[in-house]
Amino acid sequence: LLPMIKAVNEINSEAIKIEFLIIGVDKQSFKDHTTFDLGKGISFLGRIDHEKVLEYVAKAHMSVLLREDKRYAKAGVSTKFTEAMCVGTPSICTKVGGTDIYVKDGVNGILVENNEVDTLIKMLDRILEMSADQMMKLKKEALKTANECFYDENYKDAFAGFLSKMLKGV
């Protein structure tokens, strides 16, 4: 979280170019764990109802899922990531935990190599240079990917076939 906040602070140093909304952490909790000064354009909503979270994510241009290259982060794809794509919101992701299986950089989301502030600033500058049409294409492709990969209806027949084979062996 902190590297992204630092990157947003840098981008917003002269004027607010990015509004970064943080859900799940409140401002006081953040301040309790760091002495870093927050800049312009950063807001904290804290913990809110899941339905409300999805509303905010659906309205966002991008969702952010930055993971460190550690064992816990490699356990599988985050539900936050899949939920964002399911509401048509592309994600900014590190190549950790399987997101790079689904995200095609610049097509249905943005992939970054690491969580270093300089890397994130370059990525944010790249997004700020996108046209409204390019952003809309990202959103459409994110939703298309979600429809192809994350809906259980797509796997119902294969799962039924698997169960049928297993039951025949009993």
Side-chain angles (χ1 to χ4, degrees):
L1 182 61
L2 189 57
M4 187 59 136
I5 289 173
K6 288 180 178 181
V8 171
N9 274 355
E10 181 68 27
I11 297 282
N12 288 349
S13 63
E14 295 178 23
I16 296 176
K17 297 176 186 174
I18 295 173
E19 290 186 34
F20 187 48
L21 185 62
I22 301 166
I23 300 172
V25 176
D26 61 58
K27 191 173 187 176
Q28 189 57 52
S29 294
F30 178 79
K31 285 184 171 188
D32 288 346
H33 291 91
T34 184
T35 58
F36 185 76
D37 288 328
L38 294 170
K40 301 175 263 185
I42 298 172
S43 302
F44 291 82
L45 289 183
R47 298 179 66 81
I48 59 174
D49 185 66
H50 187 255
E51 285 298 314
K52 205 74 168 146
V53 170
L54 292 178
E55 288 176 27
Y56 278 107
V57 172
K59 291 177 186 174
H61 289 292
M62 303 290 284
S63 175
V64 178
L65 179 66
L66 299 178
R67 292 175 137 184
E68 294 181 31
D69 193 6
K70 295 192 176 181
R71 187 174 174 198
Y72 77 89
K74 296 177 182 182
V77 176
S78 166
T79 56
K80 292 171 186 70
F81 163 74
T82 58
E83 287 176 334
M85 289 189 90
C86 286
V87 295
T89 302
S91 292
I92 298 166
C93 303
T94 43
K95 296 179 180 181
V96 177
T99 54
D100 55 329
I101 294 170
Y102 302 101
V103 175
K104 306 301 175 230
D105 186 53
V107 176
N108 61 358
I110 302 293
L111 289 173
V112 292
E113 291 293 327
N114 56 56
N115 297 342
E116 294 175 15
V117 175
D118 289 342
T119 301
L120 299 175
I121 290 170
K122 288 176 189 170
M123 174 270 305
L124 291 172
D125 281 335
R126 180 177 157 210
I127 292 170
L128 287 170
E129 292 174 4
M130 289 183 181
S131 69
D133 285 345
Q134 288 172 311
M135 186 59 70
M136 188 53 68
K137 284 180 185 175
L138 274 179
K139 291 175 94 47
K140 286 180 181 177
E141 288 297 320
L143 186 58
K144 180 181 173 189
T145 300
N147 285 330
E148 291 170 356
C149 299
F150 303 138
Y151 284 107
D152 57 354
E153 286 294 317
N154 296 343
Y155 303 99
K156 189 165 45 173
D157 292 341
F159 189 66
F162 170 77
L163 284 178
S164 178
K165 285 181 184 179
M166 292 293 109
L167 292 174
K168 285 180 183 175
V170 174

